[in-house]
Amino acid sequence: MTEYERDGAEIYRQSFATIRAEADLAGFPEDVATAAVRMIHACGMVDLAADIAYSPGVVAAGRAALEAGAPILCDAQMVASGVTRKRLPADNDVLCLLSDPRVPGLAKDLGTTRSAAAVELWADRLEGSVVAIGNAPTALFHLLDLLDRGAPKPAAILGIPVGFIGAAESKAALAAYPGIEFLIVKGRRGGSAITAAAINAIAHEKEIQA
Amino acid sequence: MTEYERDGAEIYRQSFATIRAEADLAGFPEDVATAAVRMIHACGMVDLAADIAYSPGVVAAGRAALEAGAPILCDAQMVASGVTRKRLPADNDVLCLLSDPRVPGLAKDLGTTRSAAAVELWADRLEGSVVAIGNAPTALFHLLDLLDRGAPKPAAILGIPVGFIGAAESKAALAAYPGIEFLIVKGRRGGSAITAAAINAIAHEKEIQA
């Protein structure tokens, strides 16, 4: 039988301590640093810190929105699956509309991906929401287009899609967008696990929960 | 309105072409290379290739098992969520037992994590299954302990947990385990998205599906 650490809370504690010892978190506000620790924990790479960009109020704005009952709007089911429900302060809705029956037709009509079409269906929940895009650059681009056309503003946008086509560009466009509280990972890295981890950090100030 | 690629199939095509141009896939058997491409696609890092280790027959063994109807046993709901159901050849079961009501009590009795306790509940489905561990090192360690105690062998084990405590060690232990078809990412990197991507590659030989 192999010897290994079997205590879940102790694994968290040692993991977060390792990350804080190795990652360069200088310059992050304390609440954003806590989010960065969880994001690093989700991908196993302490150098992710160098690619994390944010508006300084993003964690406070996202947490206040969640405490007020805002929904979390996710581009992918994996992001929604990764949200730890018991960390949510108001039993918040965690929505991914990618499987909505309207999506395939809407994607065809709009000439875009299903991920972007699903964002179109967020319209009546957008105001004051917390957006978590962890998969599709087209979802993030489409959201910014909606905002250009006057859609209501989310309280915070976590824009952390991953990949080789449009990911870096969509995240740069979010970071440059005026008047939005945002959190991104610059470049190609990102994904549903890192995004869900950021939501889990924003949801609750307690770092470790039993 | 921002200009960006909106055709989902074209995004896949360009992404996979970029990965094949940049990643060093020399030395991989063709079917494992296809899995590596999807794993890289899921994390945005072409250098992941250098950390992928495998038994040469792992993709063939996993695919044959799925074609014969084997279940996919996942350690985390995020891994299960990431499996593209329409790529599965036999409408295979995709199981994650972490929310099973027996798990908390079992974890306490066994003195281990809930992730490891959930693996204990795989016992009657293990034989010939495809295992996808993308989150918890303790789940992978526990599975190896079960095999030590004579549990039936899965057809293939994708052992790609992520993190700072036990991840590298559990994956090294899997790679060293005799007589198992395996796929790992050495070191700290890994996670549910990379693991689900590997399953999606193994499930179907077609690289791009509409």
Side-chain angles (χ1 to χ4, degrees):
Chain A
M1 194 140 133
T2 322
E3 272 318 305
Y4 57 92
E5 181 56 57
R6 289 171 163 78
D7 177 336
E10 182 58 21
I11 292 168
Y12 264 108
R13 200 196 59 72
Q14 289 182 19
S15 296
F16 291 164
T18 302
I19 294 165
R20 287 190 181 271
E22 291 187 21
D24 180 4
L25 301 172
F28 284 91
E30 185 45 45
D31 59 357
V32 181
T34 303
V37 167
R38 274 197 177 254
M39 294 162 73
I40 290 168
H41 182 244
C43 67
M45 297 177 288
V46 294
D47 76 307
L48 193 79
D51 289 338
I52 296 174
Y54 54 90
S55 57
V58 65
V59 172
R63 185 168 298 153
L66 293 178
E67 286 171 353
I72 300 168
L73 306 178
C74 307
D75 71 324
Q77 193 52 50
M78 280 189 84
V79 177
S81 285
V83 175
T84 303
R85 297 308 194 269
K86 69 179 173 195
R87 288 183 69 85
L88 298 178
D91 195 20
N92 307 69
D93 285 343
V94 182
L95 301 175
C96 171
L97 299 180
L98 198 53
S99 307
D100 186 286
R102 293 167 291 177
V103 163
L106 197 55
K108 211 172 171 187
D109 292 349
L110 297 171
T112 191
T113 63
R114 288 192 292 264
S115 293
V119 168
E120 191 80 17
L121 299 177
W122 293 353
D124 64 342
R125 304 295 300 271
L126 262 186
E127 186 152 22
S129 67
V130 175
V131 168
I133 294 178
N135 184 50
T138 54
L140 182 50
F141 276 130
H142 195 80
L143 176 61
L144 297 179
D145 286 344
L146 287 182
L147 294 175
D148 279 347
R149 304 201 310 261
K153 272 190 196 171
I157 301 178
L158 315 192
I160 316 178
V162 60
F164 297 86
I165 304 298
E169 296 82 354
S170 66
K171 292 181 283 191
L174 170 60
Y177 204 92
I180 288 284
E181 297 284 2
F182 73 92
L183 179 67
I184 67 166
V185 174
K186 292 183 277 185
R188 291 170 166 180
R189 291 191 291 186
S192 48
I194 294 172
T195 307
I199 289 286
N200 290 334
I202 286 173
H204 203 293
E205 64 178 348
K206 222 158 116 181
E207 191 154 68
I208 298 174
Q209 273 183 306
Chain B
M1 195 139 134
T2 322
E3 274 316 306
Y4 57 91
E5 181 56 60
R6 290 170 161 77
D7 177 337
E10 182 60 20
I11 293 169
Y12 264 108
R13 200 197 59 73
Q14 290 182 21
S15 298
F16 291 165
T18 301
I19 293 164
R20 287 191 182 271
E22 292 186 21
D24 181 4
L25 301 172
F28 284 91
E30 184 45 44
D31 60 355
V32 180
T34 303
V37 167
R38 274 196 177 256
M39 294 162 73
I40 289 168
H41 182 245
C43 67
M45 298 178 287
V46 295
D47 76 305
L48 193 78
D51 289 339
I52 296 174
Y54 54 91
S55 58
V58 65
V59 172
R63 185 168 298 154
L66 293 179
E67 287 171 351
I72 300 168
L73 306 178
C74 307
D75 70 324
Q77 193 52 51
M78 280 191 84
V79 176
S81 285
V83 175
T84 303
R85 298 308 195 271
K86 67 180 174 192
R87 289 183 68 85
L88 298 178
D91 195 20
N92 307 68
D93 285 342
V94 181
L95 301 176
C96 171
L97 300 180
L98 198 53
S99 307
D100 186 286
R102 292 168 290 177
V103 164
L106 198 54
K108 210 172 171 187
D109 291 349
L110 297 171
T112 189
T113 65
R114 289 191 291 264
S115 293
V119 168
E120 191 81 17
L121 299 178
W122 292 354
D124 63 342
R125 304 296 298 270
L126 262 187
E127 185 152 24
S129 67
V130 175
V131 168
I133 294 177
N135 186 51
T138 53
L140 182 50
F141 276 130
H142 195 80
L143 175 61
L144 297 179
D145 286 343
L146 287 183
L147 294 175
D148 278 346
R149 303 202 309 260
K153 271 191 196 172
I157 301 178
L158 315 192
I160 316 179
V162 60
F164 297 85
I165 303 298
E169 296 80 356
S170 66
K171 293 181 283 192
L174 170 60
Y177 204 93
I180 289 284
E181 297 284 2
F182 73 92
L183 179 66
I184 68 166
V185 173
K186 291 183 278 186
R188 291 170 168 181
R189 291 192 292 186
S192 48
I194 295 172
T195 307
I199 288 286
N200 290 334
I202 286 173
H204 202 294
E205 65 178 346
K206 224 157 114 179
E207 190 155 69
I208 298 175
Q209 273 183 309

